Amino acid sequence: MSFEIIIADDDVDIRGLIEAAARKAGFKVAASVSDGLDALEAIRTHHPKIAVLDVSMPGMSGLKIAEKVREDSTLDNVRIIILSASVHEAAIHAGLASGADTYVPKPFSPKHLAAELKRIAEL
Amino acid sequence: MLTKIYHRATKAFFSENPNPLVKQSATTVAVVAACFSLFIPGATIVNIPYIIAGGSGALIALGLAYLVTRWEIKARTAVFIPVISLFAVGLFRVGTGGPNSLYSALIILPLIWIAAEPGRKYILFCFIFGSFALAMPFLFGDNQILRPSDVLRFIFGPAIFTVMAAIINEFARTARVRVKATEELVAEKSQLLAESLTREEEVKEAAAALVIAKKLTDSVLNAVTRQAIIGTNLSGLIDVWNPGAELMLGYTEEETVNRRYIHNFHRTYELDNFYKEIGPLIIAENMDPGFAALTEKARVGESDEREWTYLRSDNEEVTVKVAVTPRTDDHGDIAGYIFVANDVTQEREVTKLKDEFVGLISHELRTPLTSILGYLELIKDDDETELTETQITYLGVAERNANRLLRLVGDLLFTAQVESGKFPLLEGVADLTPILAAAVESAKPAADNKHVTLNLDNIYSDCILKGDPLRLAQAVDNLVSNAIKFTPANGSVNLSLQLIDGKAIIRISDTGMGIPKDEMDKLFSRFFRASTATRNAVQGVGLGLTITKAIVTAHGGSLSAESVEGSGTTFVMELPYTFQN
């Protein structure tokens, strides 16, 4: 059985990278969106195993989405990976504090991301 | 006219010390007057030669008195003049009837002079010479018969003379003592007067200096319009309010001095929080706790500068940086405080914008780099398509350069953070031994490529200190890669660790091109590239050392370099080393 994954990032090329990483890890991409609100909607609809969220997105930031997901008890099984180009310490802490399971800085290696996806899925 | 003469005569005679001339003139004038009085019909003229002798004697005495005065001969010596004068008077008396002479009283005049001299012996002299003068008619005169009544005269006369002399002597002595005392008092008074005048002068000068100083202070305070200078007393009541304060906060001097307290301008919650932060304070009865917290550091003599929010008169908030210093009185006790406030809202805005800009740039640069590196990796790792050797090489080149770009972005971002003081350091624990080993490991390929030998000299199995292991590794990597970059083929790079005096000392030395002496002081500045580097076209943008130094400094250490152009360079990194469990 392959797990489902939701991808949210406002850059189309980066979405492509994440999709490739997902394929490598044997996941099925349930939705690949560029807007925060769309992402939240998709998560609620699909109940994916993992949601990979970019921090800065139009509509709603990845952090906010993570918070909302954690607030929703029906989404307890959804794992969250936060992606960000920010180097600020504060951003990392904020990301983890909002309920993400891990934080992946950009640029990232698709291979590494694939490994992370596999690891997180097993949590 | 007569009053004038009278006054001058009184002054001459009864002044402190009449001169011999003056003293003698009394007698001589009296004798001369007596001579003239002889022309009055019925005057007793007995023996003219004696009268002439007496008159001449008196005149001679006057002459001598004049000479003595002129030559300023001492008073003691001059006493021979009244003696001569006495003889003269005696002779005159003899010539005018001896014991019956109407001019016997003239004897008194010279005796006064003698009696007034300082010393009791002069009373004796008066007795002797007075008696002699009285006896002269019997010694020189035409056989004057000694009658019984004359004997009485010989007793009474001298006795009276002696008493008179004693009285005069005593008066003169008392007068002298009084004069001396008066002279001393006058001298003392003059001195005190002089002193008080000097004091008065000094006070005037001090007062004038004070006025000037106050004027200067006021003009300085008034000239400052871009900073608020607020002075308060010990409880925070404002007593100094400069134009800068008025501009910043919107209240005039009249509205604030002696009417408002400095802590009224603060946000209560800020003061409360600060008060809680610095812990329990001992506060005086009427002191506002917020004010006490505000001035705590200043009170103990420490410099204090921090940011606060002030409330303006129009209820707008203003972010300020405030420096508090104590004011002392002339005994050295604290008498109040001075607050100098700088409006930093603008500064804050600018810093915030800079930070946002830097964040934005780094984000914008990283995003495309993510794609570049990511897709390159996907190509390389594509299991489906076999790549040719050349393709793999080309991909490697593209990847390497993309990484170079990425590193550059990281460095730029880092230096921007260093600039603004916002330095992301992890507060953890670092072990230098693996860090050094890793640095050598990762630098080996580049070193081997250039045929540069890389050595590690570390005897310590561990060297643990407080810090950010990633950043420290970055610092060491930087120095090692620099060393390799700047060392030509067949050279060597040495990395060593020593623990001395509580410091971990890392030395990275190379046998490279070195740094010119006159460029050493610019070594750590941003974008600096040594002429040796540019001359030899060594790659780099000039940020590495700035970053390394910033990292080392943030860890409480120091970074220095020694170099000999053409020979090599050694960088010495010193870090405080504390044992960790």
Side-chain angles (χ1 to χ4, degrees), chain B residues 222-342:
Chain B
N222 289 332
V224 178
T225 51
R226 311 202 73 215
Q227 284 164 311
I229 299 177
I230 304 169
T232 73
N233 68 1
L234 283 170
S235 50
L237 186 62
I238 296 171
D239 53 22
V240 173
W241 186 262
N242 80 330
E246 187 173 329
L247 261 173
M248 187 189 280
L249 295 162
Y251 291 97
T252 62
E253 212 176 335
E254 285 84 35
E255 292 169 315
T256 48
V257 171
N258 286 325
R259 298 181 64 178
R260 282 176 204 272
Y261 287 80
I262 182 92
H263 39 278
N264 294 149
F265 293 100
H266 280 255
R267 287 312 227 158
T268 333
Y269 69 82
E270 276 189 356
L271 287 178
D272 283 344
N273 286 340
F274 185 52
Y275 181 79
K276 286 193 198 119
E277 208 181 287
I278 64 177
L281 291 174
I282 305 162
I283 312 173
E285 278 272 310
N286 299 325
M287 195 177 290
D288 179 276
F291 177 73
L294 203 55
T295 53
E296 182 56 24
K297 259 191 160 180
R299 209 198 318 273
V300 295
E302 281 172 28
S303 68
D304 185 23
E305 194 177 10
R306 57 180 62 240
E307 268 184 33
W308 294 102
T309 313
Y310 276 174
L311 199 57
R312 285 175 51 90
S313 60
D314 55 6
N315 270 318
E316 287 284 313
E317 282 187 353
V318 124
T319 312
V320 287
K321 215 169 194 172
V322 183
V324 189
T325 46
R327 254 185 2 212
T328 52
D329 61 14
D330 53 346
H331 298 292
D333 299 322
I334 295 184
Y337 300 93
I338 299 185
F339 297 81
V340 180
N342 270 298

Side-chain angles (χ1 to χ4, degrees), chain A residues 11 13 56 87 89 109-111, chain B residues 363 367 371 374-375 377 413 426:
Chain A
D11 185 303
D13 294 328
S56 56
V87 280
E89 206 63 37
S109 141
K111 221 184 343 195
Chain B
H363 183 274
T367 305
S371 290
Y375 285 97
E377 193 193 284
L413 183 65
L426 212 73

